[in-house]
Amino acid sequence: MIDGVPPRLPLTEADIQPWLDARKPGQNRFTTQRQEADVVKILSGVFEGVTTGTSIGLLIENTDQRSKDYGNIKDTYRPGHADWVYEQKYGIRDYRGGGRSSARETAMRVAAGAVARAVLNALAPGVVIRGAMVQMGPHAIDPGRWDWDQRTENPFWCPDGESVKSWAEFLDGVRMAGSSTGGVVEVVASGVPVGLGAPVYDKLDADLAKAMMSINAVKGVEIGAGFLAAQLSGEDNADEMRMGNDGRVHFLSNNAGGILGGISTGQDIVLRMAVKPTSSILTPKKSIDRAGNEIEVSTKGRHDPCVAIRAVPVAEAMMAVTLADHLLRHRAQCGYEQTP
Amino acid sequence: MIDGVPPRLPLTEADIQPWLDARKPGQNRFTTQRQEADVVKILSGVFEGVTTGTSIGLLIENTDQRSKDYGNIKDTYRPGHADWVYEQKYGIRDYRGGGRSSARETAMRVAAGAVARAVLNALAPGVVIRGAMVQMGPHAIDPGRWDWDQRTENPFWCPDGESVKSWAEFLDGVRMAGSSTGGVVEVVASGVPVGLGAPVYDKLDADLAKAMMSINAVKGVEIGAGFLAAQLSGEDNADEMRMGNDGRVHFLSNNAGGILGGISTGQDIVLRMAVKPTSSILTPKKSIDRAGNEIEVSTKGRHDPCVAIRAVPVAEAMMAVTLADHLLRHRAQCGYEQTP
Amino acid sequence: MIDGVPPRLPLTEADIQPWLDARKPGQNRFTTQRQEADVVKILSGVFEGVTTGTSIGLLIENTDQRSKDYGNIKDTYRPGHADWVYEQKYGIRDYRGGGRSSARETAMRVAAGAVARAVLNALAPGVVIRGAMVQMGPHAIDPGRWDWDQRTENPFWCPDGESVKSWAEFLDGVRMAGSSTGGVVEVVASGVPVGLGAPVYDKLDADLAKAMMSINAVKGVEIGAGFLAAQLSGEDNADEMRMGNDGRVHFLSNNAGGILGGISTGQDIVLRMAVKPTSSILTPKKSIDRAGNEIEVSTKGRHDPCVAIRAVPVAEAMMAVTLADHLLRHRAQCGYEQTP
Amino acid sequence: MIDGVPPRLPLTEADIQPWLDARKPGQNRFTTQRQEADVVKILSGVFEGVTTGTSIGLLIENTDQRSKDYGNIKDTYRPGHADWVYEQKYGIRDYRGGGRSSARETAMRVAAGAVARAVLNALAPGVVIRGAMVQMGPHAIDPGRWDWDQRTENPFWCPDGESVKSWAEFLDGVRMAGSSTGGVVEVVASGVPVGLGAPVYDKLDADLAKAMMSINAVKGVEIGAGFLAAQLSGEDNADEMRMGNDGRVHFLSNNAGGILGGISTGQDIVLRMAVKPTSSILTPKKSIDRAGNEIEVSTKGRHDPCVAIRAVPVAEAMMAVTLADHLLRHRAQCGYEQTP
């Protein structure tokens, strides 16, 4: 359910589906072979192809949920998975794939992101949000070879064409070993208006950190220079300012990652997040079962060798949702008007 | 203002003041020489030394705010500071030290943290929250020498006694050059009950990420293995589980940093955050003024050479606030009772 | 979507459906003849017949929405209806019966109420929530003849058996004239624990007032003595207190309607709400159309002659939702335990 | 604390104080003789006479709180007062006048209302909010004699000059008997833009009902025809529409009280609320004490014989706050621009 969407924005299932398709598993050998149609249905809030201003309801049904794939985890806890804490917190756990801790939950985030993009398209049409995978396991790209056009030419959202082949070999090895690997995803939002955010409680960077950390398997978030900023001096970190020929302020660097004091500067918002390797692996690991017996657990289901790949469209969606939300809040308080 | 605090908890100004004193500037040569008394006054919600269950109002007044220190920044924008975006967003800016983007704002976070500790003391008395500085500029501690007792023996909250001398020399150099440096702060919460958090929207790690990223100058947050997890295999990252002699589940490692699926596991919650160097430095940097002229800006006011030091008690406070909030929410939904 | 429901509560569609059936139209000649199956489907949050603690999704599909019934209002505004303000606010209006201003929207409130009752059953099993219609048009019941057993014996939820026949005659006249009438609904919640509510912002009575006023067609809400209290002296209004033989405090009257200072007293919560007559009537009324022409509008669709009848289960549901919410909040702050 | 106020609005203590003075007790013999200065101090969010867009903090200190006036209620529960439920809920009670259930709490509502008026003045300058007392005890005004100019000419906010003398006599009797009486307050907001509100959860009328019911001693709220609407037929209740000579839609009546489907129509918003008599009276009433003894309680402190009088500026303030909030929300979603 999405509340507060402005009225009269063009929106149909066809505007949402492509983003879901980008996240969809089973499209190549590098993602889980589970086949989910991930077809979205708009239940409410849209009339004759445009939003009505009332709550938008979206529904994505599970279609390929094989119970037998999960029978073996019914009474056991996978190390590194939420199984055990769910049972500790709630005293019950829906162990099937549709449970709330499944990465499948991110489908709805992507759908919501598509609606958020419709909001941004209408109110801030210059905004472009693009994610890329910049590190797979220990293998980082060379930022000097960054080429946005590359990222849709390979199955990894990799912007460095030269890294693709070695990543493929690395991931084939991981996959065939029944193992998994982590990765780092970078999301860049360009064309964001100056002024989104708030000074204390709902800083734009704070809300982005929450949005990204809420994605399954994410363990770290950094903005701009991020952890590197800890090593810098004030002289090196500060982004100097100059007047551009267009009469607007330009920054000479972007260590801030487009956000100062919790508020967008108009520069690119640059954010990276660390994705851990999935805990569903073939190698037996020490664990316990519901009866408290010490056991060994390995997972034979169809899982992603590198969930960071499919986290790219999810991260883009969470960026879109957070920006759209802050854009509307900014309009509430400060009366934002779209710059022509 | 703090709402929802349980009634009948012991709370006086004397319970809050020591935490404020720990954050207070001017206590040694390594922090700003501004002298703020930082005296907290309880305005409401406490009666005869215990909380009443109604809203708790706290007040800390500014006492050492010298206008002349800020006169020179009235019409100029400091690079790396929120000056310019505030003016862009709001069309106005309170340039004095009490403005919302001042690190002074964190005093109230520390006061709120003390109230949160009172909540934790009552409902989960085993919780211990401790922060430490683990990196100053490029100089990281040796984790193998970690000793909690050390951190209160030096002006840096440094848990590695052997790093203190070199840090002091490094920071003296930074300070005398009118420069600044960043740092990394680690916060550890021990004794946290299992089950705090929620599966999707308000995951404990997501709320912690927001809490920490909302602190001034923080540019990155990671939990457990954090960005390192991106490099790990599933085998290396998963924390194996065994039954302890006490009949309770034990984990053999803590790459998760105490949180799985957005819910606390009962292990230590381990979080690190990157703090950028303050933008108030002596070296002239390129900027613009309100009239749009290109200028050079240097800051002669009394500022912190390494704001990461004073961020340690702030990070502890935000951890306490987030945990207390989730503990109450957990009690609402699941009926938490304190383990004897 | 319902968040925060405690885990392990028994809940199936069969627990929800009877409440929906009680609200369902077309069951006798006194309600709209539209035939809605109002079948509820649980989409998430329930596993093997009990709640899992994660978000509960419910879906009720529209099945009997005849577009032709609404064609005639597509370009006209019905006086007293939300048509015109929707178009003014949003610049667009979904004129079909499923639009957000349709009384059909209350079905989901009733479904949510059934979930709230499951929460109350588990945590405060003594709570009984019952609504009744106490006035139809100008015809009020005689409170002296109040008999709860009567209210399910007639199509009006009328607790005064002697009023039923005259109400039926009155409403037949209204219905055959293509007219409509208002009514007053009273909801009583018995067995509510002492202490639900909050002192200032989220007083229990304030939240109940919002809950009830948010129901379509409601124009007034009063609690306890309500508007009559304005006429009373302090002596007559104050509910005196005495110790009961059971060692508990008893009140000698209930002008407060079970709420003092925003907090439940343990007495019956007594609330009344005024329901206006539906604006869909046969008599032509002056209005305008989308082009700004002055027209006359009459409604030939299948509508309720007295929507107050079907508002009874809706009011019960909103009472249940509000009480369950406050019970969980009370448990968060004060550690409520069910009295055996 | 008030968040989200637009920047650059003129606001000083002088803009707030007059509204507080209107609520202030002790101005004539008809209100409590307690002398509260009710001086407001702006702590933050205002700079050089205009709002900065950051949180506005307001402080009103208690100055005339005589502990001895409350000593006699320390261990006893006044019938009709929140004493007993506070103690039941929280296990503790601040029995002094500054406690949260004191009508003194409404001072801050009035201060917030002044800030809300600054918002409305800037964004919807045509809005005029005026409250009046329309019934004192059993004595209602004659609506036919309504004259807004009268209400500031008497100590009762009474718009019917001919009722003033009889009200004064009646209230003198009440006061000298140490008794109290209830009343009805009407608030009218004129010039409200069309389109404020939302269709389901945050209907404007629902939020107004919550706002008013949250005021101390209020037991009922009605909008437009209110409870009378229950008696009307659809023909009589529907407000017909016609095109005005100014090319805008006009309604021929206002039974809706300016709100349809939860959204403002642009007509006057008309709201009435019932205020109960204060429970602090001289006549001994049956009660209990903290030890469970049955006692009789009478209140000798300085209290209002008719709290409804001082509820008038409070009701105006809550109307202003609710309208300002919805205006900003409307601007967020629909891009409201002030009509020239």
Side-chain angles (χ1 to χ4, degrees):
Chain A
M1 298 301 306
I2 308 173
D3 279 302
V5 175
R8 301 190 311 282
L9 307 183
L11 186 72
T12 65
E13 277 97 350
D15 296 309
I16 305 173
Q17 197 61 50
W19 305 102
L20 284 166
D21 292 346
R23 190 210 73 102
K24 200 166 65 174
Q27 305 194 91
N28 57 56
R29 71 182 185 274
F30 299 112
T31 59
T32 172
Q33 295 307 300
R34 218 182 316 167
Q35 297 292 334
E36 288 288 356
D38 274 355
V39 174
V40 66
K41 189 177 167 191
I42 297 176
L43 297 178
S44 67
V46 173
F47 182 56
E48 298 181 344
V50 295
T51 58
T52 63
T54 60
S55 303
I56 296 176
L58 304 177
L59 184 66
I60 302 168
E61 297 202 65
N62 286 331
T63 54
D64 183 42
Q65 190 175 297
R66 301 186 201 163
S67 287
K68 67 178 162 61
D69 283 353
Y70 297 96
N72 61 328
I73 60 168
K74 178 179 172 183
D75 295 314
T76 62
Y77 304 123
R78 288 164 292 176
H81 201 279
D83 297 339
W84 182 75
V85 287
Y86 266 57
E87 195 122 357
Q88 292 295 309
K89 180 179 180 75
Y90 299 120
I92 183 177
R93 170 173 63 103
D94 183 350
Y95 49 79
R96 299 167 304 174
R100 287 279 158 173
S101 67
S102 168
R104 178 129 190 73
E105 171 263 307
T106 59
M108 67 87 182
R109 297 171 186 255
V110 172
V115 177
R117 285 181 198 260
V119 175
L120 294 170
N121 283 347
L123 296 181
V127 173
V128 175
I129 298 169
R130 288 178 294 192
M133 193 160 155
V134 298
Q135 185 181 319
M136 178 185 286
H139 306 292
I141 65 160
D142 178 347
R145 290 196 299 251
W146 192 294
D147 175 4
W148 280 115
D149 292 338
Q150 282 293 324
R151 70 170 192 139
T152 46
E153 300 299 311
N154 62 75
F156 308 122
W157 307 100
C158 179
D160 169 12
E162 308 222 359
S163 290
V164 173
K165 195 177 165 217
S166 59
W167 282 15
E169 285 167 9
F170 170 72
L171 198 55
D172 273 329
V174 168
R175 182 173 58 87
M176 285 185 289
S179 180
S180 64
T181 187
V184 176
V185 171
E186 180 165 323
V187 189
V188 178
S190 306
V192 177
V194 183
L196 308 194
V200 180
Y201 293 113
D202 292 331
K203 286 179 170 172
L204 181 58
D205 39 1
D207 277 348
L208 284 170
K210 176 169 181 176
M212 299 303 164
M213 195 69 98
S214 79
I215 300 172
N216 307 40
V218 172
K219 299 302 286 184
V221 181
E222 61 178 9
I223 290 174
F227 275 87
L228 181 64
Q231 301 184 27
L232 297 180
S233 68
E235 288 77 9
D236 291 339
N237 183 65
D239 302 313
E240 296 188 302
M241 302 161 82
R242 277 292 175 251
M243 296 304 298
N245 294 330
D246 57 357
R248 299 171 62 188
V249 170
H250 284 244
F251 290 84
L252 306 183
S253 56
N254 190 13
N255 288 311
I259 302 175
L260 283 170
I263 296 170
S264 62
T265 65
Q267 287 186 283
D268 283 0
I269 294 180
V270 180
L271 179 150
R272 275 174 303 283
M273 65 186 207
V275 184
K276 71 175 183 183
T278 179
S279 52
S280 300
I281 51 175
L282 204 58
T283 304
K285 299 292 284 182
K286 293 175 187 162
S287 186
I288 56 166
D289 65 14
R290 294 186 66 190
N293 301 309
E294 299 193 336
I295 58 169
E296 300 221 322
V297 172
S298 67
T299 308
K300 298 194 187 64
R302 301 155 297 163
H303 296 284
D304 286 288
C306 179
V307 285
I309 300 171
R310 289 171 56 215
V312 172
V314 181
E316 288 182 356
M318 296 309 285
M319 174 68 82
V321 165
T322 307
L323 290 179
D325 191 44
H326 272 281
L327 186 59
L328 296 179
R329 294 174 66 170
H330 181 60
R331 180 157 74 162
Q333 188 181 17
C334 298
Y336 166 85
E337 285 308 301
Q338 180 192 323
T339 319
Chain B
M1 298 301 306
I2 308 174
D3 280 302
V5 175
R8 301 190 312 280
L9 307 183
L11 186 73
T12 66
E13 277 97 350
D15 296 309
I16 305 173
Q17 197 62 51
W19 305 102
L20 283 166
D21 292 346
R23 191 211 72 102
K24 199 166 64 175
Q27 305 194 91
N28 56 55
R29 70 182 186 275
F30 299 112
T31 57
T32 172
Q33 294 308 300
R34 219 183 314 169
Q35 296 291 335
E36 287 289 356
D38 273 355
V39 173
V40 67
K41 190 177 166 192
I42 298 177
L43 297 178
S44 66
V46 173
F47 182 57
E48 298 181 343
V50 296
T51 58
T52 63
T54 61
S55 302
I56 296 176
L58 305 176
L59 184 66
I60 301 168
E61 297 202 66
N62 286 330
T63 54
D64 182 43
Q65 189 175 299
R66 301 185 200 163
S67 286
K68 66 178 162 64
D69 284 353
Y70 298 96
N72 60 329
I73 59 169
K74 180 179 170 182
D75 295 314
T76 62
Y77 304 122
R78 288 164 292 176
H81 201 280
D83 298 339
W84 182 76
V85 287
Y86 266 57
E87 195 122 355
Q88 292 295 309
K89 180 179 181 74
Y90 300 119
I92 184 177
R93 170 173 62 104
D94 183 351
Y95 49 79
R96 300 167 305 174
R100 288 278 157 175
S101 66
S102 167
R104 179 131 189 72
E105 169 264 306
T106 59
M108 66 89 180
R109 297 172 186 254
V110 172
V115 177
R117 285 181 197 260
V119 175
L120 294 171
N121 284 348
L123 297 180
V127 173
V128 176
I129 297 169
R130 288 179 295 194
M133 193 160 154
V134 297
Q135 185 180 319
M136 178 185 286
H139 306 292
I141 65 161
D142 177 346
R145 291 196 299 252
W146 192 292
D147 174 5
W148 281 115
D149 292 338
Q150 281 295 323
R151 69 170 193 139
T152 47
E153 300 299 312
N154 63 75
F156 308 122
W157 306 102
C158 178
D160 169 13
E162 309 221 1
S163 290
V164 172
K165 195 176 165 221
S166 60
W167 283 15
E169 285 168 8
F170 170 72
L171 198 55
D172 273 330
V174 167
R175 182 172 57 87
M176 285 184 289
S179 181
S180 64
T181 187
V184 175
V185 172
E186 180 165 323
V187 189
V188 178
S190 305
V192 177
V194 183
L196 308 193
V200 179
Y201 294 112
D202 292 331
K203 288 180 170 172
L204 180 57
D205 39 1
D207 276 349
L208 285 170
K210 176 169 181 176
M212 299 303 165
M213 194 68 97
S214 79
I215 300 171
N216 306 39
V218 172
K219 299 302 286 184
V221 181
E222 60 179 8
I223 290 173
F227 274 87
L228 182 64
Q231 301 185 27
L232 297 179
S233 68
E235 288 78 11
D236 291 339
N237 183 66
D239 302 314
E240 296 187 302
M241 303 160 80
R242 277 293 174 251
M243 295 304 297
N245 294 331
D246 57 357
R248 298 172 61 189
V249 170
H250 284 246
F251 290 83
L252 305 184
S253 56
N254 189 14
N255 288 312
I259 303 174
L260 283 171
I263 296 170
S264 63
T265 65
Q267 289 186 283
D268 283 1
I269 293 180
V270 180
L271 179 150
R272 275 174 305 282
M273 66 187 205
V275 183
K276 72 175 182 183
T278 178
S279 53
S280 300
I281 51 175
L282 204 58
T283 304
K285 300 290 285 183
K286 294 175 187 163
S287 186
I288 57 167
D289 65 14
R290 293 185 67 188
N293 301 308
E294 299 193 337
I295 58 171
E296 299 220 322
V297 173
S298 67
T299 308
K300 298 193 186 66
R302 302 155 298 163
H303 296 283
D304 285 288
C306 180
V307 286
I309 300 172
R310 288 172 56 216
V312 172
V314 181
E316 287 183 356
M318 297 308 287
M319 175 68 82
V321 165
T322 308
L323 291 179
D325 191 44
H326 272 281
L327 186 59
L328 296 180
R329 295 173 66 170
H330 180 60
R331 180 157 74 162
Q333 188 181 16
C334 298
Y336 166 84
E337 285 311 300
Q338 179 192 325
T339 319
Chain C
M1 298 300 307
I2 307 174
D3 280 303
V5 175
R8 302 190 310 281
L9 307 183
L11 186 72
T12 66
E13 277 98 350
D15 295 308
I16 304 173
Q17 197 61 51
W19 304 103
L20 283 167
D21 292 345
R23 191 211 72 101
K24 200 166 65 175
Q27 306 194 90
N28 57 55
R29 71 181 186 276
F30 299 111
T31 59
T32 172
Q33 295 306 300
R34 220 183 314 167
Q35 297 291 336
E36 287 289 356
D38 272 355
V39 174
V40 67
K41 190 177 164 191
I42 298 176
L43 297 178
S44 67
V46 173
F47 182 56
E48 298 182 345
V50 295
T51 57
T52 62
T54 60
S55 303
I56 296 176
L58 305 176
L59 183 67
I60 301 168
E61 296 201 67
N62 285 330
T63 53
D64 182 43
Q65 189 175 298
R66 301 185 201 165
S67 287
K68 67 179 163 59
D69 284 355
Y70 297 95
N72 61 327
I73 60 168
K74 178 180 171 183
D75 295 314
T76 62
Y77 304 122
R78 287 163 292 176
H81 201 279
D83 297 339
W84 182 75
V85 287
Y86 266 56
E87 195 121 356
Q88 292 294 308
K89 180 179 181 75
Y90 298 118
I92 184 178
R93 170 173 62 104
D94 182 350
Y95 49 80
R96 300 166 303 172
R100 288 278 157 174
S101 67
S102 167
R104 178 128 190 72
E105 170 264 307
T106 59
M108 66 90 182
R109 296 171 186 255
V110 172
V115 177
R117 285 181 197 260
V119 175
L120 294 170
N121 284 347
L123 296 180
V127 173
V128 175
I129 297 169
R130 288 178 295 193
M133 193 161 154
V134 298
Q135 184 181 319
M136 179 185 285
H139 306 291
I141 64 160
D142 178 347
R145 290 194 303 250
W146 192 294
D147 175 5
W148 280 116
D149 292 338
Q150 281 294 323
R151 71 170 191 137
T152 46
E153 300 298 312
N154 62 74
F156 308 122
W157 306 101
C158 179
D160 169 11
E162 308 222 0
S163 289
V164 172
K165 195 175 165 220
S166 60
W167 282 15
E169 284 169 8
F170 171 72
L171 197 55
D172 272 331
V174 167
R175 182 174 58 87
M176 285 185 289
S179 181
S180 65
T181 187
V184 176
V185 171
E186 180 165 321
V187 189
V188 178
S190 305
V192 176
V194 183
L196 308 193
V200 179
Y201 293 112
D202 292 332
K203 288 180 169 171
L204 180 58
D205 40 1
D207 277 347
L208 284 170
K210 177 170 180 175
M212 300 301 166
M213 195 69 97
S214 79
I215 301 172
N216 307 39
V218 172
K219 299 302 287 184
V221 180
E222 61 179 10
I223 290 173
F227 276 87
L228 182 64
Q231 301 185 27
L232 297 180
S233 68
E235 288 77 10
D236 291 340
N237 182 65
D239 302 315
E240 296 187 303
M241 301 160 82
R242 277 291 175 251
M243 296 303 297
N245 294 330
D246 57 357
R248 299 172 60 189
V249 170
H250 285 244
F251 290 83
L252 306 183
S253 56
N254 189 14
N255 288 313
I259 302 173
L260 283 171
I263 296 170
S264 63
T265 64
Q267 289 186 282
D268 283 0
I269 293 180
V270 181
L271 178 151
R272 275 173 304 283
M273 65 186 205
V275 183
K276 72 175 183 183
T278 179
S279 53
S280 300
I281 51 175
L282 204 58
T283 305
K285 299 291 286 182
K286 292 175 188 162
S287 186
I288 56 166
D289 65 15
R290 294 186 68 189
N293 301 309
E294 299 193 337
I295 57 169
E296 301 221 321
V297 172
S298 67
T299 308
K300 298 194 184 65
R302 301 154 298 163
H303 296 284
D304 286 289
C306 179
V307 285
I309 300 172
R310 288 172 55 215
V312 172
V314 180
E316 288 183 356
M318 296 308 286
M319 174 69 82
V321 164
T322 308
L323 291 179
D325 191 44
H326 272 281
L327 186 59
L328 296 179
R329 295 174 65 169
H330 181 60
R331 180 157 74 161
Q333 188 181 17
C334 298
Y336 166 84
E337 285 309 300
Q338 179 192 325
T339 320
Chain D
M1 299 299 306
I2 308 174
D3 279 303
V5 175
R8 301 190 311 281
L9 307 183
L11 186 72
T12 66
E13 277 97 350
D15 296 308
I16 305 173
Q17 197 61 49
W19 304 104
L20 284 166
D21 292 346
R23 190 211 72 103
K24 200 167 64 174
Q27 305 195 92
N28 57 56
R29 71 181 186 276
F30 300 112
T31 58
T32 172
Q33 295 307 298
R34 218 182 316 166
Q35 296 291 334
E36 288 289 355
D38 274 355
V39 173
V40 68
K41 189 176 165 193
I42 297 177
L43 297 179
S44 66
V46 173
F47 182 57
E48 298 182 342
V50 296
T51 58
T52 62
T54 61
S55 302
I56 296 176
L58 305 176
L59 183 67
I60 301 168
E61 296 202 66
N62 286 330
T63 54
D64 182 43
Q65 189 175 298
R66 301 184 200 165
S67 286
K68 66 177 164 63
D69 284 354
Y70 297 96
N72 60 329
I73 59 168
K74 179 179 170 182
D75 295 314
T76 61
Y77 304 122
R78 289 163 292 175
H81 201 280
D83 297 338
W84 182 76
V85 287
Y86 266 56
E87 196 123 355
Q88 292 295 309
K89 180 180 181 74
Y90 298 119
I92 184 178
R93 170 173 62 104
D94 182 351
Y95 49 79
R96 300 166 305 174
R100 288 279 157 173
S101 65
S102 167
R104 178 130 190 71
E105 170 263 308
T106 59
M108 66 89 182
R109 297 172 186 255
V110 172
V115 177
R117 285 181 197 261
V119 175
L120 294 171
N121 284 348
L123 296 181
V127 173
V128 176
I129 297 169
R130 289 178 296 192
M133 193 161 154
V134 297
Q135 185 180 319
M136 178 185 285
H139 307 292
I141 65 160
D142 177 346
R145 292 195 298 250
W146 192 293
D147 175 4
W148 280 115
D149 292 339
Q150 282 294 322
R151 71 172 192 138
T152 47
E153 300 298 312
N154 62 76
F156 309 122
W157 306 102
C158 179
D160 169 13
E162 308 223 357
S163 290
V164 171
K165 196 178 164 217
S166 59
W167 282 15
E169 287 169 5
F170 170 73
L171 197 55
D172 273 330
V174 167
R175 182 173 57 87
M176 286 185 288
S179 180
S180 64
T181 187
V184 176
V185 171
E186 181 165 323
V187 189
V188 178
S190 305
V192 176
V194 184
L196 307 193
V200 179
Y201 293 112
D202 292 332
K203 288 179 169 172
L204 181 59
D205 39 2
D207 277 347
L208 285 170
K210 176 169 181 177
M212 300 302 165
M213 195 69 97
S214 79
I215 301 171
N216 306 39
V218 172
K219 300 301 287 183
V221 181
E222 62 179 9
I223 289 174
F227 276 87
L228 182 65
Q231 302 184 27
L232 297 180
S233 67
E235 288 77 10
D236 291 340
N237 183 65
D239 301 315
E240 295 187 303
M241 303 161 82
R242 276 294 175 249
M243 295 304 298
N245 294 330
D246 56 357
R248 298 172 60 189
V249 170
H250 285 244
F251 290 83
L252 307 183
S253 56
N254 190 13
N255 288 312
I259 302 173
L260 282 171
I263 296 169
S264 63
T265 65
Q267 288 186 284
D268 283 1
I269 294 180
V270 181
L271 179 150
R272 275 174 305 281
M273 66 186 207
V275 183
K276 72 175 183 183
T278 179
S279 52
S280 300
I281 52 175
L282 204 58
T283 306
K285 299 291 287 182
K286 294 174 187 162
S287 186
I288 57 168
D289 65 14
R290 293 186 67 189
N293 300 309
E294 298 193 335
I295 57 170
E296 299 221 322
V297 173
S298 67
T299 308
K300 298 192 186 66
R302 302 154 299 163
H303 296 283
D304 285 288
C306 180
V307 285
I309 299 171
R310 289 171 56 215
V312 173
V314 181
E316 287 182 358
M318 296 307 285
M319 174 68 82
V321 165
T322 307
L323 291 179
D325 190 45
H326 272 282
L327 186 59
L328 296 180
R329 295 174 66 168
H330 181 59
R331 181 158 72 163
Q333 188 181 18
C334 298
Y336 167 84
E337 285 310 300
Q338 179 191 325
T339 319

